[in-house]
């Protein structure tokens, strides 16, 4: 044995003194002083293998020490006890508890390690000899199955990156144990090369962290909730009986008549809380949240490197750079660097099977995440209990939005049915379908297109009346008021949930979370600090010499850099390249979207000209429908593809900005993603609604693209029907393909791929295949939770489809309602069965999404005003009816909107090749515009009718916008944000809490007065004695007074 190695066999397996544990120090073992010094020296020598210096400078053979430790000469007492269990999986409930079957697993850390054939042999030897020894406590060794094993002398050339990760894990886990957490490692799993660290938070740690996080917990005080009286009580009871069949069968959904008073947890005031059952006082959601907060703030600033020679030494700079990314806060940076591959809390248990114990997950699967209960209310309180407030608020908002779509769908269907009922009474469409009018229209394209009869577009004209009728104006006003009512209703619902979930007064803790820096921000600041220090030393000429202590100096610089991060921060100059990249990137992406839409326009024009050459009359008559349908399908495919691309680009642009906090990161990401996806989804619709047919020109003077493609025109009945087709196909296609098929298909495909990979690994190791999977292994195979941004985003885009262009498609709310009924259960099934359990996050609102919803609602008023006035024929009809109609009817409206053109005024090469296609020679053709006739002095100039209609359109936009905005603000003002009963309950809680503390203070004062009276009586008794007091009597007297002082 070398002189620097440690003979660990000399430590007796069972010392007579034993380790002493003081609960006040969170599990730190206290040893006798005479042995403590010796063990400290031993621990120092063992810890030399974690030194930042290369191994050869210390003279320690790292591999040998590691091998001695891993072969099993050192074993923890808990490992010995665990090895004596006959069925450890039954005791730990298959991974939900530690191997002692008592301590619950609150969190899991997952890491990858390399397991060779040598290590497998050593692992077997460990498990056979578990009862042969015990271990002293070290911060790098965890109880449980498995451990890192050395490969022996033949594998001296180790993977230094893996070695670095292992050292970081050991340091980090040691720091976690210093913070009071209890850890247990398991590498003996069915998943090859994957190790798990189970984390348990004991009671004292939970209390400490709950006080630090200001978690509101229920107290012993119970008070009565104000109930409705009289007529309201009867109405509520009737509604409750009617809705009983659609209520979920969970305890949390039953109406409560009493409520426990809640107060931020305090260890000094534990007597206020009901601690009769400590195991259930902090539920699994709260426990995982507390552990995650500890994981986030646990430092990882003393990374220990084991650097070898040769090739390993070359990785020095790489490891140092990776150390910069470790940052000030642990788990986020460790996950980013691959030190740990995953971190997640466990699900409560299985959700399917005959012998499965009833748990919250199984209950959610049966009463929430099932398509068979689509007609029931959601168990929002149980969702919040299991997933946390943030996810609970999302599903509550989705439920409120879906409920509010019911009246909107009913009114939309009525408007559509009104159009169907009045289509035969619509005079303009009847005039267009009447062949006796013999209206000859000008060609739709040059050369290949010929003259055509207006009656050939009869079907389009009749269909457009279904969506372009006086009822659509009413429906637009209704939907604007509906959006305002929805927002107010949600604010009131949100306030009720805040009261029920004890989130009132949550702002202080929220501000603390806002100020929590992200790991990437800390790394950037550290890099800036080191660069600044290097430049400063270079200017002063204090650069270190290139000596053998170069590595020591560089590590010291890194360690000093952590302190420098408190002084530095990123300024706009540091972020300017990222801001410039963001600006250029967003402009480029928006330009790309416009370019694609422009390409689709070219496709429409060229395809229409090509189909006009068709020899069959049916082919020529269906040109407009064919071109529109194919172009919309192309737009839909492009939108779906670009949506995924823009989501990734938005995340990358936000990452290079390096926002300081997670909240800032999320808000910037949402803004960029929403901007890009909004432009992507609505640009084709905006083109059809406001640009198509506006810049066509006139016969004889058309506008051309690239001097060859003539701009396309709207149908004689207007572009509203085409807008309806565009909106309906994009909305339905997006919901069916992207929102539903992708959400179902992609997770299933990923699950299948993981299953195939695991099957291959199991075939390699039959021994691992025969083991039963633990809970944390099953959860590891689930998809990680990626946040709520995609879920909110698809609903906000749908909200835009429902409100922005609702004047052109009254059935949009109905299709949104049908989609959301499926979406709620689909998302629920995904959260319960397909995803790892997310960390519960407290939130009192839906954040920036509320502002986006308000913005979309305001924008909807403006867009619908322009759709009604410029895209539909509603305003031209009103102008004709009240200004030009001779008999007060709509007879003659079609002829009034058409201008005349003399075919002899065609430009050379633009006249039809076959002018006799209709069977007669055409001299005058008609086109839709307000222009002077060819026999006028100012032929083909814009007529006065055009300006009259334009003035009426602009006036309508102004009046409609201001009227609807005023009505929306009136609805906002008249409906209070906080329900009256909730505000009364909140006030009642404050009064009751003051009473509780006043009674407590009075009790303390009475107790002090009682003690004071007793003390005074003792003093009088002492004064009645003889003045010659002995020293012992004096001592007793002083002790009497000291008792009073102590109290």
């Amino acid at each position: 044995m070398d002189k620097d190695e440690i003979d660990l066999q000399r430590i007796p397996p069972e010392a007579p003194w034993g380790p002493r544990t003081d609960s006040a120090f969170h599990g730190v073992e206290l040893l006798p002083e005479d042995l403590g010094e010796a063990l400290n020296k031993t621990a120092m020598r063992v810890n030399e293998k974690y030194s930042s210096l290369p191994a050869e400078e210390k003279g320690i053979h790292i591999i040998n020490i590691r091998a001695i430790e891993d072969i099993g000469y050192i074993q923890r007492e808990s490992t010995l006890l665990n090895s004596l269990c006959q069925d450890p999986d039954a005791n730990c409930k298959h991974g939900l508890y530690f191997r002692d079957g008592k301590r619950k697993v609150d969190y899991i850390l997952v890491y990858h390690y390399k397991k060779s054939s040598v290590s497998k042999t050593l692992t077997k030897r460990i498990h056979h000899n578990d009862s042969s020894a015990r271990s002293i406590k070290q911060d790098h060794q965890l109880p449980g199955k498995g451990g890192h094993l050395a490969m022996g002398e033949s594998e001296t050339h180790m993977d230094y990156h893996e070695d670095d990760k292992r050292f970081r894990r050991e340091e980090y886990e040691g720091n976690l144990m210093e913070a009071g957490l209890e850890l247990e490692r398991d590498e003996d799993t069915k998943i090859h090369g994957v190790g798990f660290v189970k984390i348990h938070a004991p009671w004292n740690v939970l209390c400490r962290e709950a006080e630090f996080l200001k978690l509101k917990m229920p107290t012993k005080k119970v008070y009565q909730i104000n109930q409705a009286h009289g007529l309201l009580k009867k109405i509520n009871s009737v509604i409750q009986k009617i809705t009983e069949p659609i209520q979920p069968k969970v305890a949390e959904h039953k109406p409560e008549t009493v409520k426990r008073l809640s107060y931020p947890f305090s260890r000094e005031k534990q007597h206020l809380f009901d601690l009769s059952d400590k195991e259930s006082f902090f539920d699994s959601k709260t426990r995982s949240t507390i552990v995650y907060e500890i994981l986030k703030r646990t430092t990882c600033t003393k990374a220990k490197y084991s650097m070898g020679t040769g090739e390993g030494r070359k990785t020095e700079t790489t490891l140092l750079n990776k150390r910069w990314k470790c940052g000030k806060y642990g788990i986020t940076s460790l996950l980013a660097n691959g030190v740990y591959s995953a971190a997640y809390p466990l699900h409560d248990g299985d959700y399917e099977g005959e012998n499965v114990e009833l748990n919250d997950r199984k209950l959610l699967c049966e009463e929430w995440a099932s398509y068979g209960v689509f007609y029931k209310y959601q168990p929002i309180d149980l969702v919040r209990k299991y997933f946390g407030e943030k996810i609970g608020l999302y599903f509550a908002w989705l439920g409120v939005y879906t409920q509010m779509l019911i009246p909107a769908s009913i009114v939309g269907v009525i408007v559509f049915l009104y159009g169907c009922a009045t289509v035969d009474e619509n005079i303009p469409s009847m005039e267009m379908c009447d062949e006796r009018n013999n209206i000859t229209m000008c060609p739709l394209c040059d050369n290949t297109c010929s003259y055509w009869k207006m009656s050939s577009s009869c079907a389009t004209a009749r269909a457009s009346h279904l969506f372009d009728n006086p009822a659509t104006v009413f429906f637009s006003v209704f939907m604007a008021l509906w959006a305002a009512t929805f927002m107010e209703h949600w604010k009131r619902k949100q306030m009720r949930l805040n009261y029920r979930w004890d989130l009132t007064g949550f702002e202080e803790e929220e501000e603390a979370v806002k100020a929590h820096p992200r790991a990437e921000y800390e790394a950037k600041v550290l890099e800036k600090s080191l660069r600044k220090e290097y430049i400063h030393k270079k200017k002063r000429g204090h650069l270190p010499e290139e000596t053998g202590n170069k590595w020591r100096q560089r590590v010291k610089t890194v360690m000093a850099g952590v302190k420098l991060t408190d002084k530095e921060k990123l300024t706009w100059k540091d972020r300017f390249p990222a801001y410039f990249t963001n600006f250029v990137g967003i402009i480029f992406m928006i330009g790309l979207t416009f370019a694609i839409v422009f390409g689709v326009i070219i496709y429409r024009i060229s395809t229409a000209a090509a189909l006009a050459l068709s020899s069959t009359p049916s082919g020529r008559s269906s040109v407009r429908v064919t071109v529109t349908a194919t172009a919309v399908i192309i737009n839909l495919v492009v939108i779906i593809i670009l949506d995924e691309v823009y989501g990734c680009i938005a995340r990358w642009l936000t990452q290079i900005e390096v926002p300081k906090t997670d909240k800032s990161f999320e808000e910037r990401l949402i803004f960029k993603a929403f901007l890009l996806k909004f432009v992507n989804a609505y640009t084709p619709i905006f083109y059809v609604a406001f640009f198509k047919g506006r810049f066509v020109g006139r016969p004889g003077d058309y506008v051309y693209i690239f001097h060859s493609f003539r701009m396309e025109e709207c149908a004689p009945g207007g572009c509203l029907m085409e807008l309806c087709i565009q909106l309906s196909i994009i909305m339905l296609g997006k919901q069916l393909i992207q929102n539903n098929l992708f959400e179902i298909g992609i997770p299933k495909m990923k699950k299948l791929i993981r299953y195939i990979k695991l099957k291959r690994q199991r075939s390699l190791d039959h021994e691992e295949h025969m083991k039963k999977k633990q809970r944390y292994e099953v959860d590891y195979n689930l998809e990680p939770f990626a946040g709520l941004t995609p879920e909110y985003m698809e609903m906000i885009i749908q909200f835009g489809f429902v409100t922005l262009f609702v004047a052109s498609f009254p059935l949009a709310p109905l299709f949104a309602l049908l989609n959301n009924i499926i979406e709620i259960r689909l998302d629920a099934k995904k959260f319960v069965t397909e995803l790892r359990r997310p960390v519960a996050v407290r939130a009192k609102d839906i954040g920036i999404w509320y502002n986006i919803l308000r913005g979309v609602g305001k924008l909807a008023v403006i867009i619908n005003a322009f759709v009604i006035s410029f895209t539909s024929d509603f305003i031209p009809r009103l102008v004709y009816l009240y200004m030009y109609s001779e008999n007060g009817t709509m007879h003659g409206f079609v002829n009034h909107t058409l201008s005349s053109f003399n075919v002899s005024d065609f430009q050379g090469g633009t006249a039809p090749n076959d002018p006799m296609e209709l069977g007669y020679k055409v001299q005058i053709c008609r086109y839709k515009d307000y222009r002077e006739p060819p026999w006028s002095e100012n032929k083909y100039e814009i007529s006065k009718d055009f300006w009259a209609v334009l003035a009426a359109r602009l006036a309508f936009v102004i009046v409609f916008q201001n009227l609807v905005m005023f009505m929306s603000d009136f609805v906002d003002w008249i409906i209070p944000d906080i329900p009256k009963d909730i505000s009364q309950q909140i006030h009642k809680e404050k009064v009751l809490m003051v009473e509780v503390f006043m009674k407590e203070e009075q009790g303390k004062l009475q107790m002090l007065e009682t003690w004071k009276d007793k003390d005074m009586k003792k003093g009088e008794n002492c004064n009645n004695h003889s003045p010659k007091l002995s020293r012992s009597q004096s001592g007793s007297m002083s002790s009497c007074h000291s008792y009073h002082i102590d109290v």
Side-chain angles (χ1 to χ4, degrees):
M1 182 179 293
D2 296 338
K3 63 179 181 179
D4 288 327
E5 293 184 12
I6 303 168
D7 188 3
L8 296 177
Q9 293 179 352
R10 294 177 184 174
I11 301 175
E14 294 187 12
W17 34 267
R20 294 206 314 261
T21 305
D22 191 345
S23 59
F25 290 91
H26 312 299
V28 178
E29 296 174 3
L30 303 179
L31 304 176
E33 293 182 2
D34 54 345
L35 191 64
E37 186 178 353
L39 286 179
N40 283 337
K41 293 179 180 179
T42 304
M44 289 174 60
R45 297 185 64 187
V46 171
N47 285 332
E48 285 182 352
K49 64 189 175 81
Y50 299 109
S51 174
S52 301
L53 298 179
E56 64 271 15
E57 295 186 18
K58 286 283 183 180
I60 300 176
H61 203 306
I62 298 168
I63 305 300
N64 282 352
I65 293 180
R66 191 65 188 169
I68 292 171
E69 175 188 332
D70 290 332
I71 286 174
Y73 290 104
I74 299 180
Q75 290 277 316
R76 286 187 58 85
E77 184 178 359
S78 57
T79 307
L80 172 63
L81 294 175
N82 293 336
S83 65
L84 298 177
C85 295
Q86 294 180 354
D87 189 4
D89 288 345
N91 288 341
C92 66
K93 295 187 180 180
H94 300 290
L96 289 173
Y97 287 80
F98 275 23
R99 296 188 65 80
D100 57 11
K102 298 179 181 179
R103 293 173 292 174
K104 189 174 182 180
V105 176
D106 298 320
Y107 218 86
I108 290 292
L109 299 180
V110 187
Y111 59 91
H112 287 273
Y113 66 94
K114 292 189 176 181
K115 191 172 182 181
S116 69
S117 58
V118 179
S119 66
K120 290 179 184 177
T121 307
L122 293 174
T123 305
K124 292 177 184 177
R125 192 187 310 169
I126 288 175
H127 293 317
H128 285 302
N129 298 322
D130 267 349
S131 59
S132 61
R134 289 187 179 183
S135 71
I136 61 171
K137 175 169 181 171
Q138 296 181 17
D139 61 355
H140 58 274
Q141 190 173 5
L142 304 181
K145 297 184 287 184
H148 293 293
L149 302 168
M151 302 300 106
E153 295 291 344
S154 61
E155 298 188 20
T156 306
H157 299 288
M158 301 172 64
D159 187 341
Y160 290 96
H161 292 288
E162 292 297 323
D163 194 45
D164 173 53
K165 290 178 183 179
R166 177 163 54 84
F167 282 135
R168 294 197 199 184
R169 285 197 296 268
E170 289 171 350
E171 178 205 348
Y172 185 68
E173 290 161 10
N175 292 341
L176 291 179
M177 287 195 286
E178 289 179 3
L181 298 179
E182 297 176 2
L183 278 61
E184 186 178 74
R185 179 179 284 130
D186 184 7
E187 291 181 357
D188 189 19
T189 63
K190 292 184 73 172
I191 305 176
H192 185 77
V194 175
F196 297 89
V197 176
K198 295 174 279 187
I199 301 177
H200 168 77
W203 172 255
N204 57 341
V205 174
L206 293 173
C207 294
R208 182 190 71 206
E209 297 299 322
E211 182 176 354
F212 176 72
L213 295 174
K214 300 177 183 176
L215 295 180
K216 274 192 171 183
M217 305 301 294
T219 62
K220 297 176 183 177
K221 179 70 175 177
V222 179
Y223 68 95
Q224 193 80 20
I225 297 176
N226 294 339
Q227 301 293 324
H229 300 284
L231 182 62
L232 284 176
K233 185 177 182 180
K234 294 180 180 179
I235 294 173
N236 290 338
S237 63
V238 170
I239 294 174
Q240 187 175 346
K241 289 180 180 178
I242 294 174
T243 59
E244 184 66 29
I246 60 175
Q247 299 288 351
K249 297 178 181 178
V250 295
E252 284 77 5
H253 205 78
K254 295 179 181 178
E256 296 180 351
T257 57
V258 295
K259 186 177 184 293
R260 285 187 177 273
L261 192 65
S262 296
Y263 184 74
F265 187 82
S266 173
R267 286 174 290 181
E268 295 179 357
K269 300 183 183 299
Q270 287 193 28
H271 57 278
L272 296 177
F273 303 94
D274 184 10
L275 303 180
S276 57
D277 186 7
K278 292 186 178 181
E279 292 296 324
S280 61
F281 184 74
F282 295 106
D283 57 12
S284 59
K285 165 186 69 73
T286 308
R287 296 175 71 98
S288 63
T289 303
I290 288 174
V291 173
Y292 182 67
E293 289 296 325
I294 298 175
L295 294 176
K296 279 200 302 185
R297 73 167 186 262
T298 300
T299 56
C300 178
T301 55
K302 297 181 180 179
K304 302 157 184 172
Y305 298 93
S306 172
M307 301 302 298
T309 57
E311 186 178 343
R313 195 61 185 254
K314 294 177 184 178
T315 61
E316 175 182 318
T317 307
T318 307
L319 290 176
L320 185 63
N321 292 336
K322 289 183 110 181
R323 173 65 195 89
W324 290 354
K325 296 179 183 177
C326 189
K328 195 174 180 179
Y329 298 93
I331 192 61
T332 52
S333 57
L334 294 176
L335 287 171
N337 291 339
V339 178
Y340 291 102
S341 57
Y344 52 87
L346 292 179
H347 280 292
D348 278 358
D350 292 326
Y351 60 90
E352 56 185 359
E354 296 180 357
N355 299 324
V356 176
E357 294 181 4
L358 186 63
N359 54 66
D360 288 344
R361 189 187 187 193
K362 183 177 175 60
L363 195 58
L364 283 172
C365 188
E366 293 174 352
E367 295 294 327
W368 182 50
S370 174
Y371 296 108
V373 294
F374 71 93
Y375 59 92
K376 289 188 176 183
Y377 285 102
Q378 299 182 85
I380 292 298
D381 291 328
L382 185 59
V383 174
R384 173 251 179 180
K385 178 185 174 184
Y386 193 78
F387 291 109
E389 286 78 7
K390 192 170 185 178
I391 294 176
L393 282 173
Y394 163 71
F395 281 103
W397 173 84
L398 185 56
V400 170
Y401 172 47
T402 305
Q403 291 174 14
M404 289 294 292
L405 282 173
I406 295 174
S409 303
I410 294 173
V411 177
V413 171
I414 292 173
V415 169
F416 178 74
L417 294 177
Y418 170 81
C420 295
T422 59
V423 67
D424 292 329
E425 301 173 3
N426 184 39
I427 296 175
S429 62
M430 292 170 61
E431 288 183 348
M432 292 177 66
C433 294
D434 191 356
E435 296 183 1
R436 293 174 296 178
N437 289 335
N438 197 25
I439 298 176
T440 304
M441 303 298 293
C442 296
L444 296 175
C445 60
D446 295 341
N447 298 329
T448 56
C449 299
S450 184
Y451 305 105
W452 56 285
K453 291 282 188 180
M454 175 175 274
S455 58
S456 64
S457 61
C458 175
T460 306
R462 290 174 63 86
S464 64
H465 178 72
L466 303 178
F467 306 100
D468 187 6
N469 55 67
T472 56
V473 180
F474 159 75
F475 189 57
S476 298
V477 177
F478 171 80
M479 287 303 295
L481 298 179
W482 173 86
T485 307
F486 162 60
M487 300 303 295
E488 290 305 308
H489 179 45
W490 166 244
K491 281 196 290 188
R492 291 169 65 83
K493 177 69 172 179
Q494 187 174 258
M495 199 62 212
R496 288 187 182 277
L497 292 176
N498 285 340
Y499 163 72
R500 208 157 73 204
W501 296 348
D502 299 320
L503 292 173
T504 53
F506 177 64
E507 293 81 4
E508 296 178 3
E509 195 270 339
E510 196 173 27
E511 291 297 325
V513 172
K514 286 181 187 176
H516 189 87
R518 297 172 63 245
E520 291 79 1
Y521 178 84
E522 289 288 336
K524 199 75 176 176
V525 172
L526 176 57
E527 186 178 347
K528 178 184 176 182
S529 304
L530 294 175
R531 191 185 303 113
K532 204 170 183 180
E533 185 183 15
Y534 177 80
I535 294 173
H536 179 68
K537 287 184 177 181
K538 189 175 181 181
K539 286 180 180 179
R540 296 179 59 184
H542 285 253
L543 282 177
E545 299 178 2
E546 296 293 330
T547 62
N549 291 329
K550 175 185 175 183
W551 176 251
R552 183 197 298 269
Q553 292 165 352
R554 296 196 67 177
V555 170
K556 285 183 178 179
T557 304
V558 172
M559 296 306 303
V562 176
K563 298 179 181 179
L564 295 175
T565 57
D566 298 331
K567 302 177 182 178
E568 293 290 342
K569 64 179 181 178
L570 297 183
T571 62
W572 69 269
K573 291 182 180 180
D574 301 318
R575 289 196 170 105
F576 179 76
Y579 289 155
F580 182 76
T581 305
N582 270 261
F583 177 76
V584 173
I586 291 174
I587 295 298
F588 175 77
M589 292 300 127
I590 294 175
L592 177 63
T593 304
F594 290 162
I596 291 173
V597 172
F598 182 74
V600 175
I601 294 171
I602 299 297
Y603 162 80
R604 295 163 67 109
I605 297 171
S606 58
T607 305
L611 291 176
L613 298 174
S614 176
S615 58
T616 59
S618 60
R620 290 194 297 270
S621 63
S622 61
V623 167
R624 196 181 296 274
V625 177
T626 304
V627 169
T628 301
T630 55
V632 172
I633 292 173
I634 293 173
N635 277 326
L636 175 62
V637 173
V638 170
I639 286 171
I640 291 174
I641 294 172
L642 288 184
D643 257 1
E644 303 301 322
V645 175
Y646 286 168
C648 298
I649 290 175
R651 179 168 291 276
W652 176 75
L653 290 175
T654 309
Q655 285 173 346
I656 64 174
E657 275 190 69
V658 197
K660 184 175 182 180
T661 62
D662 288 327
K663 185 176 181 63
S664 175
F665 180 88
E666 186 180 15
E667 289 179 350
R668 295 186 188 196
L669 173 62
I670 289 170
F671 173 75
K672 293 181 184 66
F674 175 74
L675 177 63
L676 293 175
K677 293 189 177 186
F678 182 89
V679 172
N680 180 42
Y682 295 111
T683 299
I685 301 173
F686 269 92
Y687 164 72
V688 174
F690 302 121
F691 295 99
K692 184 180 179 181
R694 309 290 173 192
F695 311 101
V696 177
R698 61 169 179 82
D701 188 22
Y702 283 114
V703 177
Y704 291 90
I705 303 174
F706 304 132
H707 304 286
S708 57
F709 297 105
R710 202 175 94 185
M711 291 293 291
E712 54 183 345
E713 305 174 37
C714 289
C719 280
L720 196 69
M721 185 60 199
E722 189 173 342
L723 176 61
C724 175
I725 295 172
Q726 184 103 6
L727 183 65
S728 60
I729 292 179
I730 291 179
M731 179 182 177
L732 295 177
K734 224 173 129 50
Q735 289 183 348
L736 290 175
I737 298 173
Q738 189 174 24
N739 297 355
N740 292 331
L741 290 182
F742 280 13
E743 287 192 19
I744 297 172
I746 292 178
K748 295 288 185 186
M749 192 177 296
K750 290 182 177 178
K751 194 173 182 179
L752 179 63
I753 293 171
R754 286 196 303 269
Y755 175 76
I756 294 172
K757 288 183 178 178
L758 288 174
K759 198 172 182 181
R760 289 178 181 174
Q761 292 176 357
R762 289 170 188 170
S763 61
L764 296 175
D765 197 337
H766 180 71
E767 226 177 88
E768 293 180 353
H769 176 64
M770 297 304 293
K771 301 171 189 171
K772 180 174 174 58
K773 272 193 174 183
Q774 304 290 330
R775 175 79 262 154
Y776 43 85
E777 295 179 75
V778 176
D779 287 1
Y780 177 70
N781 292 327
L782 300 176
E783 277 292 301
F785 175 63
L788 290 171
T789 300
E791 314 299 334
Y792 273 114
M793 188 67 69
E794 64 182 71
M795 288 295 106
I796 298 296
I797 296 295
Q798 184 204 81
F799 182 77
F801 283 122
V802 169
T803 55
L804 292 180
F805 296 95
V806 75
S808 63
F809 189 42
L811 295 178
L814 176 63
F815 289 115
L817 173 63
L818 297 175
N819 173 80
N820 287 4
I821 290 173
I822 301 172
E823 181 73 22
I824 289 176
R825 307 303 165 180
L826 182 64
D827 284 348
K829 196 172 186 64
K830 182 173 68 174
F831 273 84
V832 174
T833 65
E834 301 287 342
L835 297 179
R836 294 174 190 160
R837 188 174 183 177
V839 179
V841 178
R842 286 190 295 168
K844 65 182 300 182
D845 52 40
I846 59 175
I848 192 176
W849 296 110
Y850 181 81
N851 298 328
I852 292 176
L853 283 170
R854 286 188 66 88
V856 171
K858 300 292 184 185
L859 184 62
V861 176
I862 302 171
I863 289 178
N864 281 302
F866 276 94
V867 167
I868 293 170
S869 61
F870 284 91
T871 308
S872 73
D873 283 339
F874 178 74
I875 300 300
R877 288 172 188 167
L878 288 180
V879 172
Y880 176 79
L881 184 64
Y882 293 106
M883 292 181 63
Y884 300 102
S885 178
E886 296 177 357
N887 53 7
T889 64
M890 293 301 295
H891 288 288
F893 170 74
V894 175
N895 187 59
H896 179 262
T897 59
L898 297 176
S899 299
S900 301
F901 177 75
N902 193 334
V903 297
S904 61
D905 294 333
F906 271 121
Q907 292 179 353
T910 60
N913 296 332
D914 186 10
M916 298 295 293
E917 185 175 343
L918 295 178
Y920 57 88
K921 187 175 182 180
V922 178
Q923 292 182 347
I924 299 293
C925 66
R926 310 295 295 274
Y927 62 98
K928 190 172 182 178
D929 205 349
Y930 291 100
R931 290 183 181 270
E932 298 290 342
W935 50 83
S936 173
E937 294 181 0
N938 302 318
K939 66 176 184 178
Y940 307 135
E941 293 293 329
I942 294 175
S943 65
K944 295 179 180 179
D945 299 341
F946 172 82
W947 300 110
V949 172
L950 179 62
R953 282 173 165 167
L954 293 176
F956 175 82
V957 169
I958 294 171
V959 172
F960 182 88
Q961 175 186 338
N962 287 281
L963 178 63
V964 175
M965 288 285 190
F966 169 76
M967 295 173 69
S968 300
D969 292 340
F970 179 74
V971 170
D972 191 358
W973 172 76
I974 201 172
I975 301 176
D977 294 345
I978 305 176
K980 187 177 180 180
D981 59 327
I982 296 299
S983 61
Q984 291 175 351
Q985 297 290 355
I986 293 173
H987 177 70
K988 185 177 181 179
E989 277 196 353
K990 292 180 179 178
V991 173
L992 288 174
M993 187 56 68
V994 171
E995 290 180 0
V996 168
F997 284 118
M998 288 298 293
K999 288 180 180 178
E1000 186 181 357
E1001 291 298 322
Q1002 289 174 2
K1004 288 181 180 178
L1005 289 174
Q1006 290 177 359
M1007 189 179 298
L1008 288 173
E1009 288 176 1
T1010 303
W1011 286 345
K1012 187 176 180 181
D1013 293 340
K1014 290 181 179 180
D1015 188 47
M1016 290 178 64
K1017 289 179 180 179
K1018 288 183 179 180
E1020 290 175 358
N1021 292 334
C1022 292
N1023 292 331
N1024 291 333
H1025 288 295
S1026 172
K1028 295 180 181 180
L1029 296 173
S1030 63
R1031 289 188 179 181
S1032 61
Q1033 290 172 332
S1034 301
S1036 65
M1037 179 88 174
S1038 62
S1039 66
C1040 182
H1041 289 288
S1042 65
Y1043 169 77
H1044 171 70
I1045 294 170
D1046 289 341
V1047 172

